[in-house]
Amino acid sequence: MLIIFSLLLLYFSHFLKCDSDYDGPLTIKLFHNLEEPPNSKGWCPCAHITLKNVNTGSVKVKLLDWNTTTSSKLLTLGRKDKLYRLKALVLTSKGRKIVYRTFCKARKLIFDNATPTLTITLDYTGTIMGINIQDASFISEDRMTAQSPVVNPTVIVRATELGPAPDTATYIQKLEREREAKERGANMDNRSFFAKYWMYILLVIVVAVLSGSSNNEQAQNAR
């Protein structure tokens, strides 16, 4: 019981700690790196995402710093078949900062009306587990290349579904009943009389048969 109580205490303390960071709106700042080869100074802000409610998945996306130069660099990456790199800085309601990185093929982003998907994965507490960008892979290569491509992703919030929880209370009650049964001696041998003493019964029968046979022989000899 003490071990189970300790595990439950650790679980709830972890749950409360996670929930304290994610019980309000979340702000996600997106940065992209359009340099080739990429370098640490090449990260520039490209969008702000506000996750208003982790339960409903309500989001607001605001694009930043998309101009002719930015679009030209994206076109260059796409024509060279390079990667479009994205960095997500998550700001929790309690001020914590968490960084996630993702990437996709730049050539899938430079066509007209190309809309990549940005998936935000949450666990059961509403904590962000990962952020992933997926290019518009369904777009064929013969589509017209945009003159000024802009990465304006569709944001999808995907929450982890809870599986069936173990029936801990029933299991603990079962253990308690087994312990009480042992204390009352309920674990005694409940077999039938014949099942417990068949060897002794068989011995009596054998002795009786042998004694009967011996008496018959003595009677015949007396005649």
Side-chain angles (χ1 to χ4, degrees):
M1 288 294 294
L2 182 60
I3 296 177
I4 296 175
F5 178 77
S6 300
L7 291 175
L8 290 175
L9 185 61
L10 289 174
Y11 168 79
F12 283 112
S13 62
H14 171 73
F15 176 82
L16 292 175
K17 181 179 179 181
C18 294
D19 187 62
S20 62
D21 272 334
Y22 293 90
D23 56 0
L26 297 179
T27 300
I28 302 174
K29 295 184 177 181
L30 296 182
F31 300 83
H32 57 195
N33 197 325
L34 301 174
E35 302 296 329
E36 187 58 40
N39 56 73
S40 59
K41 296 181 179 180
W43 293 104
C44 299
C46 59
H48 278 181
I49 298 176
T50 303
L51 183 56
K52 298 179 180 179
N53 192 312
V54 296
N55 297 317
T56 62
S58 176
V59 296
K60 179 182 179 182
V61 181
K62 180 182 179 182
L63 297 182
L64 303 173
D65 196 30
W66 277 100
N67 49 45
T68 305
T69 303
T70 306
S71 297
S72 177
K73 289 183 178 181
L74 179 60
L75 279 171
T76 301
L77 287 179
R79 288 166 177 163
K80 292 182 179 180
D81 197 21
K82 300 298 182 179
L83 295 177
Y84 176 73
R85 294 174 174 84
L86 200 64
K87 178 173 68 174
L89 175 62
V90 179
L91 302 177
T92 70
S93 60
K94 300 301 180 182
R96 285 207 310 148
K97 297 181 180 180
I98 307 172
V99 176
Y100 299 91
R101 297 175 187 266
T102 182
F103 60 87
C104 67
K105 284 285 189 179
R107 62 185 175 87
K108 293 290 187 177
L109 305 175
I110 62 176
F111 299 101
D112 280 330
N113 301 320
T115 305
T117 301
L118 188 72
T119 304
I120 303 173
T121 305
L122 310 176
D123 68 3
Y124 63 95
T125 65
T127 304
I128 295 179
M129 298 175 59
I131 297 177
N132 178 58
I133 188 171
Q134 184 176 2
D135 56 45
S137 57
F138 61 88
I139 294 181
S140 60
E141 299 293 342
D142 57 357
R143 289 284 300 273
M144 182 177 295
T145 302
Q147 296 299 318
S148 299
V150 174
V151 179
N152 187 13
T154 298
V155 179
I156 298 177
V157 180
R158 183 172 298 167
T160 303
E161 296 183 0
L162 289 176
D167 193 354
T168 308
T170 302
Y171 179 71
I172 294 176
Q173 291 176 1
K174 179 182 177 182
L175 294 179
E176 290 293 333
R177 288 195 299 268
E178 291 178 355
R179 181 182 61 80
E180 293 174 358
K182 289 181 180 180
E183 291 178 355
R184 293 196 306 265
N187 58 339
M188 296 176 60
D189 194 351
N190 294 322
R191 293 179 298 170
S192 65
F193 178 81
F194 181 79
K196 289 190 290 185
Y197 302 108
W198 65 272
M199 290 187 297
Y200 302 102
I201 297 173
L202 181 60
L203 180 61
V204 171
I205 294 174
V206 171
V207 171
V209 171
L210 293 177
S211 298
S213 175
S214 177
N215 292 334
N216 290 336
E217 291 179 357
Q218 290 178 0
Q220 289 178 0
N221 292 333
R223 293 177 183 176

